[in-house]
Amino acid sequence: MKVTLNVFLKEGILDPQGKATAHALEVMGFEGVNGVRIGKQIVLDLACSDEVSARAEAEKMASDLLVNGVIEEYTIEVAA
Amino acid sequence: MRVAVLHFLGTNCERDTHYALQKAGAKVQMLAHTEAQLPQKCDLVVIPGGFSYGDYLRCGAIARVAPIMEAVSRFADQGGRVLGICNGFQILLEAGLLPGAMRRNANLHFISRYQPMRVVSNDNRFLGKLDEGQILTVPLAHAEGNYYIDEPGYKALQQNNQILLTYCDATGAPMGVNGAVGDIAGIRNEAGNVFGLMPHPERAVDAITGSTDGLTLLKSVLEG
């Protein structure tokens, strides 16, 4: 079962990569860029038989290793 | 003073650290990440700098699940003293042995230069031989040293005298370097037996390289 985690710095935590990229877009002439946030995507292939257990397993992995809750937040998508 | 210096895949400061600690008067033993136990007689564990596991996922995140780290956590829980330098500091944060987290430097640059820092507190088992307000100049070398902790956490650090070192200019005035909350360069845990700092004292132990302030710091750490 495929589980996708999208990990971003929490709102309010400075994202220097996003800020630099937003600045570059402005320099290139793109207007109205209110913000850029850069995160990472982690795609897990899990041997779980149902969505509920796959989600639970991935959430445990996120809190134990994949995401640093001090500065990061994430969303989770489970594909059947 | 018997010191164990750990090395993980990608650690690259272990030999400098070994040399510097020996010069400061310690008996040093190197220990690989695969070991499950610390030496029976060990007064201090040092996690040196480098790029453990290529900084994959997050700096220090993979190293903290290496077998030796369980032993380090037990050692720290029992009051054993642990020092983390640069990537070692990041590993201690990821392991939860120190509060907070590291972000990319605010200016996105890898910072590599001599940097003064100020001793904020000497009421601890690491910097007891130094003076409050003393300025030490040692090399910085990191891309992720932008220390973060939330506001209540920062207040707690201040109240408990857990902030040991902050970045400053040559006169001792506060200086922003990498975006770190409170210009923090080094902190200890609440119990007072775990200390992490971003600057590299092991690189400033011979006058020929420009400073011996790192040796001064390490000697104080050893005298605990």
Side-chain angles (χ1 to χ4, degrees), chain A residues 9 13-14 16-17 20 40 42 63-68 70-72, chain B residues 57-58 61-62 64-65 94 100-106 108 146 148:
Chain A
L9 288 169
I13 303 250
L14 176 71
Q17 277 192 88
K40 60 190 159 197
I42 301 172
S63 66
D64 287 358
L65 176 68
L66 301 177
V67 177
N68 183 334
V70 178
I71 50 172
E72 293 175 326
Chain B
L57 191 61
R58 295 178 307 276
I62 309 283
R64 86 90 182 143
V65 300
E94 283 288 345
M102 284 299 173
R103 301 166 294 185
R104 285 284 294 276
N105 292 342
L108 292 172
N146 181 351
Y148 174 80

Side-chain angles (χ1 to χ4, degrees), chain A residues 29-80:
Chain A
F30 290 102
E31 287 170 17
V33 179
N34 292 326
V36 176
R37 293 171 77 204
I38 296 187
K40 60 190 159 197
Q41 190 172 66
I42 301 172
V43 181
L44 303 166
D45 185 356
L46 302 181
C48 294
S49 52
D50 62 286
E51 272 189 43
V52 176
S53 63
R55 179 179 293 270
E57 187 77 349
E59 280 175 352
K60 176 132 177 51
M61 289 176 185
S63 66
D64 287 358
L65 176 68
L66 301 177
V67 177
N68 183 334
V70 178
I71 50 172
E72 293 175 326
E73 60 190 9
Y74 68 99
T75 58
I76 192 163
E77 290 158 26
V78 184

